Amino acid sequence: MIEMIPGTVTLATLEEIWRKGTPARLDRSAREGVEAAAAMVAEAAAGEAPVYGINTGFGKLASTKIAAGDTETLQRNLILSHSCGVGEPLAEDKVRLMMALKLLSLGRGASGVRWLVIEQIEEMLARGVTPLVPSQGSVGASGDLAPLAHMTAAMIGEGEATYEGARLTGAEALKRAGLEPIVLGPKEGLGLINGTQFSTACALAGLFQALELARASMAIASLTTDAIMGSTAPLVADIHTLRGHAGQIDVAAQMRDIMQGSEIRESHREGDTRVQDPYCIRCQPQVVGAALDVLRMAARTLEVEANAVTDNPLVLVEQGLIVSGGNFHAEYVGFAADQIALAVAEIGAIAQRRVALMVDPTLSHDLPPFLTPNPGLNSGFMIAEVTTAALMSENKHLANPCVTDSTPTSANQEDHVSMAAHGALRLAKMTANLSVILGVEMLCAAQGVEARAPLKTSHRLQDLLAMLRSEIPSLGDDRYLAPEIEGASAMVRAGRVGDAAGVEVAV
């Protein structure tokens, strides 16, 4: 169980929740502030003065006053009417992260929900009740309304949820887990569905995977450099310190260390007629280093957002005010998601060029055509390279910015939106594509390095080769490659490549 202090949770903690499914709950020090805000909301709900979302309608209906006796019905209707999501269900690990992010937001004591609402989310996380949340329907402003409504629907015994592998009604899932539906009080439905937690959870998952893939790319690019007998001169530290960018310096340093002691590299320091390698070899630190710095910028934004209060209106206890604002607008998340998308696309673009380099006998420095020992009868990695080209191109299209694509909604009350939700959602597809590109590059580079025998690569890259070959053998005659491509890409996604080569990347 992870104890979270609102406002202080780190990316490492959030990654553990996402990757390992570790249940999370709020530190009990948050309770006093939460209950103080809830008391203010209860007082406002009983009063005559209209306060948005507490005793009024929502959006364009904010001028409609709601009687005190109807506040529970108002909040329940809000959840039911907003449960309009469509599309494939969001992966359970992202839903659980979204729920943890909602705990962090509510726990800051500015949302006005009762502590029992927080306890319901905590118990669902602890007992494995995961709301079924459709992945489409949010425009990333006024909160991720539809996805969060589906999350909340399960909390009140509506909608659907999964429990112990079964897809059930929300009521049945709660019952099997020994929980009861809650009845929402004033503002609680609004507090739960206003916010950026869906977009942020998807963006965080994309970030965590992108960082893992960037780490793997450093090891795989090093293996490719040896496969084509490339130069390590472009990795000399002074080149990178003269430019000064942290990511570039870090990538060059990692690659220098990874390739240290390679017999292949030492074999062609003298007498190599090539003056320079192509950019995809020579500029790996400059390209992936830039991508790494972009990912680090996105990471800082998302860490702040994960700890933020993003619903509306906000209860300012010390000032005695309930104030309408716009923290639900996910522009920050949208920009971060677009940054991550650009980085993912570029890491894949330069990796794909290395695959193309290795399979081309005119460029690969005497490697066999398409890396097959018997070309002509066999095609080797010919179409594997084509697959990487297809995925690289798809990622280029997906990397087009989403945050600039606003459209008015809700009768023009919500007239500028962030589109952060699908900006973040697309990252899952993009990182999956990148993992395949890197997996194919690893297979090709391993084949190329083995073709240089009896010369050996570095000790760290030999460890990487041993890990790969423990599951996927070298390619001789043509065979059915699709499962092996998936196996290699799975190694990349799981962090096994970076671990085997000892790559360390600080965020």
Side-chain angles (χ1 to χ4, degrees):
M1 177 70 71
I2 293 174
E3 295 269 348
M4 304 187 300
I5 299 176
T8 69
V9 174
T10 64
L11 290 173
T13 297
L14 296 170
E15 186 168 7
E16 180 179 343
I17 293 169
W18 173 63
R19 286 195 187 277
K20 299 180 180 180
T22 309
R25 66 178 222 164
L26 293 184
D27 187 275
R28 273 27 205 170
S29 62
R31 182 165 186 165
E32 183 179 354
V34 168
E35 292 184 334
M40 278 186 61
V41 167
E43 182 179 352
E48 292 299 319
V51 182
Y52 174 71
I54 295 175
N55 55 13
T56 74
F58 307 103
K60 200 77 169 182
L61 303 176
S63 59
T64 303
K65 184 74 164 56
I66 305 299
D70 290 331
T71 54
E72 289 182 0
T73 301
L74 174 70
Q75 298 300 314
R76 181 179 180 81
N77 286 349
L78 177 69
I79 301 308
L80 298 178
S81 67
H82 283 57
S83 294
C84 294
V86 298
E88 292 296 315
L90 189 66
E92 286 192 12
D93 54 6
K94 292 177 186 173
V95 176
R96 290 178 63 83
L97 178 57
M98 179 178 76
M99 295 167 72
L101 294 175
K102 180 54 75 174
L103 284 177
L104 288 175
S105 183
L106 299 178
R108 294 287 296 273
S111 299
V113 304
R114 294 165 296 165
W115 189 254
L116 70 84
V117 173
I118 286 167
E119 289 179 323
Q120 183 78 337
I121 299 174
E122 291 177 339
E123 287 298 324
M124 290 170 73
L125 286 171
R127 303 190 195 197
V129 178
T130 306
L132 196 78
V133 177
S135 57
Q136 294 172 280
S138 174
V139 294
S142 197
D144 290 315
L145 295 172
L148 288 169
H150 283 275
M151 179 197 79
T152 308
M155 296 171 61
I156 65 173
E158 297 287 346
E160 293 182 277
T162 57
Y163 178 69
E164 295 184 340
R167 179 170 173 171
L168 308 165
T169 65
E172 181 63 21
L174 292 175
K175 181 181 178 181
R176 292 192 189 184
L179 297 172
E180 295 287 337
I182 61 171
V183 176
L184 299 174
K187 194 189 174 289
E188 289 177 343
L190 188 60
L192 286 162
I193 69 171
N194 250 202
T196 66
Q197 288 76 36
F198 172 86
S199 297
T200 305
C202 293
L204 282 168
L207 170 71
F208 298 144
Q209 197 64 71
L211 286 167
E212 185 55 64
L213 301 180
R215 188 169 78 106
S217 79
M218 298 176 205
I220 295 169
S222 299
L223 194 66
T224 298
T225 301
D226 253 4
I228 61 104
M229 300 187 86
S231 175
T232 54
L235 301 177
V236 169
D238 287 350
I239 293 174
H240 307 287
T241 55
L242 280 169
R243 196 173 197 189
H245 291 297
Q248 179 178 329
I249 291 168
D250 291 345
V251 172
Q254 288 288 337
M255 292 182 67
R256 280 197 310 274
D257 290 346
I258 292 166
M259 297 187 69
Q260 184 67 36
S262 167
E263 292 178 3
I264 297 173
R265 173 62 187 119
E266 295 306 317
S267 73
H268 63 97
R269 283 190 185 274
E270 303 295 334
D272 195 327
T273 59
R274 296 171 297 172
V275 177
Q276 292 182 328
D277 292 316
Y279 286 2
C280 65
I281 300 295
R282 197 178 355 144
C283 299
Q284 168 79 352
Q286 287 81 359
V287 174
V288 173
L292 180 58
D293 279 341
V294 165
L295 292 174
R296 285 167 169 166
M297 287 189 288
R300 288 194 292 272
T301 296
L302 293 176
E303 187 173 62
V304 171
E305 188 72 10
N307 285 283
V309 183
T310 57
D311 65 296
N312 178 63
L314 296 181
V315 183
L316 309 180
V317 175
E318 291 186 4
Q319 291 90 338
L321 298 173
I322 300 176
V323 183
S324 288
N327 279 3
F328 49 71
H329 199 293
E331 194 83 355
Y332 276 102
V333 184
F335 274 120
D338 283 350
Q339 287 177 305
I340 296 166
L342 289 170
V344 168
E346 282 297 273
I347 294 170
I350 195 169
Q352 199 284 326
R353 297 317 304 153
R354 291 192 294 268
V355 175
L357 182 70
M358 286 186 282
V359 301
D360 186 342
T362 63
L363 299 174
S364 65
H365 198 59
D366 302 323
L367 288 176
F370 302 104
L371 299 166
T372 176
N374 189 12
L377 180 63
N378 295 286
S379 296
F381 288 97
M382 178 187 294
I383 303 306
E385 186 266 330
V386 175
T387 296
T388 65
L391 298 183
M392 174 190 68
S393 187
E394 183 176 17
N395 273 2
K396 288 179 182 178
H397 292 290
L398 289 170
N400 282 306
C402 293
V403 77
T404 54
D405 180 26
S406 178
T407 187
T409 62
S410 195
N412 282 299
Q413 177 75 3
E414 296 152 12
D415 57 355
H416 182 278
V417 297
S418 71
M419 296 300 178
H422 63 261
L425 194 65
R426 84 200 197 267
L427 298 177
K429 177 66 172 174
M430 294 187 70
T431 54
N433 286 346
L434 176 55
S435 74
V436 174
I437 295 171
L438 293 173
V440 171
E441 184 189 356
M442 178 168 62
L443 292 173
C444 291
Q447 193 87 356
V449 163
E450 288 166 344
R452 304 298 183 187
L455 296 174
K456 294 181 179 179
T457 187
S458 70
H459 293 297
R460 288 167 68 175
L461 290 176
Q462 287 179 55
D463 290 342
L464 173 56
L465 276 173
M467 185 274 292
L468 174 66
R469 292 303 183 222
S470 69
E471 298 179 24
I472 302 174
S474 300
L475 184 65
D477 289 335
D478 284 349
R479 61 177 184 256
Y480 191 59
L481 282 180
E484 296 180 6
I485 292 173
E486 173 51 35
S489 64
M491 291 176 183
V492 172
R493 290 193 300 272
R496 296 174 62 191
V497 172
D499 289 347
V503 183
E504 296 181 5
V505 177
V507 178

